[in-house]
Amino acid sequence: RFTAQVGLHAELGKSGSVIFEVSGNGAPLARIGPVTGQMPSQPVDVNLGGVTNLQLTVTSAAGDVTVNYAIWAQPCLNKQTP
């Protein structure tokens, strides 16, 4: 299981807009966003059963890409017991 809090740096205010994506073995598992600088952090909680390759991606949703200070806070991988 992968958990995290995602968001943009608070100093951005109205600026910035991104989409957070979690993929496993090349397949999308979660999409969070668009997230803006005015929003509180958003929780991520993804089951990784069978996943051997994890990819975390942030893409610009709109506006000036130079102000997109994306943050993956408190990322954690937890092994699930059967």
Side-chain angles (χ1 to χ4, degrees):
R1 188 160 218 78
F2 172 74
T3 59
Q5 292 286 324
V6 297
L8 289 177
H9 197 286
E11 75 181 17
L12 295 175
K14 294 180 182 179
S15 299
S17 181
V18 298
I19 297 170
F20 292 86
E21 295 176 296
V22 179
S23 299
N25 299 341
L29 301 174
R31 184 176 191 271
I32 303 92
V35 176
T36 68
Q38 290 183 308
M39 297 172 66
S41 65
Q42 304 294 303
V44 178
D45 189 347
V46 181
N47 183 346
L48 298 178
V51 171
T52 57
N53 184 332
L54 179 65
Q55 183 176 10
L56 307 177
T57 307
V58 179
T59 55
S60 179
D64 182 1
V65 297
T66 63
V67 296
N68 288 336
Y69 306 135
I71 299 170
W72 293 87
Q74 301 173 331
C76 187
L77 289 171
N78 296 299
K79 183 176 180 179
Q80 292 180 278
T81 55

